[in-house]
Amino acid sequence: MNNFNQKSLIIFDWDGTLMDSVGLIVDAMRYAAEKHGLTVTDDATKSIIGIALVDAFPMLFPNDSDKYDELLATYSEYYVKHCDNDKLFDGIKELIQDLHAQGKTLAIATGKKRKGLERVLPNSGIEAFFTTTKTADETAGKPNPLMLEQILAETDKTLEDAVMIGDSIHDMRMAKNINMDSIAVSYGCEKADVLAKENPTLIVDSVEQLKLSLF
């Protein structure tokens, strides 16, 4: 049995792990693609959640590099306009509060840009509980483990102290690349069978199961 309750550093992905934003990301990408005469499936968009858009566009639209700037602008415009519908998953706020009350060090490692994270984090009600946050435009994007290495250095923690929690294969690969324990959540962008192929330390299907694994 994994003793995650002994971990002193808990690192969270943002989209699809803490915030219920997968639907909005899918809608924004579909809107941007259609506006510029392109097509993208919902599953394809879900597969890139967690990585920086600058890395995602070549995967989604490999033959349309001339449209990347326009796609980014349209995607961002749609996301900002509708992000009031973005919200934390039920039980996340209480989970973060409880972890903080237990003296855990909390961090965020996200594929968002700093501007994007600052748009949603202050209104989430949990910003004050995080010691540090890392975004893809300020460090290397996932699955490069630089975010995790920087968080460990800033918090003066070891690999054994930490666990990475995320909903995408990119989160799991990032943790694997540094040999950090990981918890995959299947209530976000990827199903459990897809996440299982990345060999996370644990897979949970709900926020309640996540809480049980950490306490």
Side-chain angles (χ1 to χ4, degrees):
M1 184 176 180
N2 300 299
N3 295 316
F4 291 114
N5 61 333
Q6 300 299 313
K7 300 290 186 180
S8 58
L9 172 60
I10 317 297
I11 306 171
F12 291 92
D13 167 58
W14 183 259
D15 289 306
T17 301
L18 297 179
M19 183 151 276
D20 187 4
S21 51
V22 173
L24 177 56
I25 292 171
V26 168
D27 289 345
M29 191 65 73
R30 187 192 311 115
Y31 175 82
E34 291 176 352
K35 185 170 182 178
H36 298 289
L38 303 174
T39 58
V40 64
T41 67
D42 292 355
D43 285 344
T45 298
K46 289 179 181 179
S47 75
I48 57 85
I49 292 176
I51 63 175
L53 287 177
V54 66
D55 298 320
F57 284 146
M59 299 168 64
L60 296 177
F61 313 105
N63 301 315
D64 301 284
S65 58
D66 58 317
K67 296 184 178 181
Y68 291 170
D69 289 344
E70 295 175 338
L71 283 165
L72 178 59
T74 304
Y75 173 94
S76 300
E77 178 184 2
Y78 185 97
Y79 191 99
V80 170
K81 183 178 180 179
H82 296 86
C83 68
D84 285 345
N85 296 326
D86 243 356
K87 60 184 179 62
L88 299 179
F89 286 103
D90 290 343
I92 284 294
K93 186 173 184 178
E94 293 77 13
L95 171 62
I96 297 300
Q97 290 173 332
D98 291 346
L99 288 170
H100 184 265
Q102 284 207 345
K104 306 294 186 180
T105 300
L106 305 179
I108 292 171
T110 176
K112 281 185 174 299
K113 290 185 176 182
R114 174 59 58 185
K115 183 178 180 180
L117 184 62
E118 290 183 348
R119 186 179 296 120
V120 292
L121 182 56
N123 297 323
S124 67
I126 58 175
E127 181 179 24
F129 300 115
F130 292 96
T131 298
T132 186
T133 61
K134 296 297 175 186
T135 59
D137 58 329
E138 294 178 340
T139 180
K142 303 171 184 178
N144 189 306
L146 183 58
M147 284 187 194
L148 301 182
E149 293 169 348
Q150 291 175 336
I151 290 172
L152 290 174
E154 287 186 22
T155 57
D156 196 28
K157 300 290 186 180
T158 67
L159 275 173
E160 291 71 26
D161 295 326
V163 59
M164 174 67 203
I165 302 172
D167 68 314
S168 77
I169 61 174
H170 313 293
D171 298 317
M172 299 303 102
R173 289 174 182 175
M174 179 173 65
K176 189 189 306 182
N177 285 339
I178 199 177
N179 294 318
M180 181 181 288
D181 284 342
S182 59
I183 300 177
V185 301
S186 65
Y187 55 76
C189 72
E190 290 289 5
K191 296 180 179 179
D193 59 337
V194 174
L195 293 166
K197 295 177 182 178
E198 302 302 324
N199 297 311
T201 314
L202 180 68
I203 301 176
V204 297
D205 299 323
S206 65
V207 174
E208 182 61 29
Q209 285 186 11
L210 178 59
K211 181 175 182 178
L212 291 173
S213 72
L214 293 171
F215 290 93

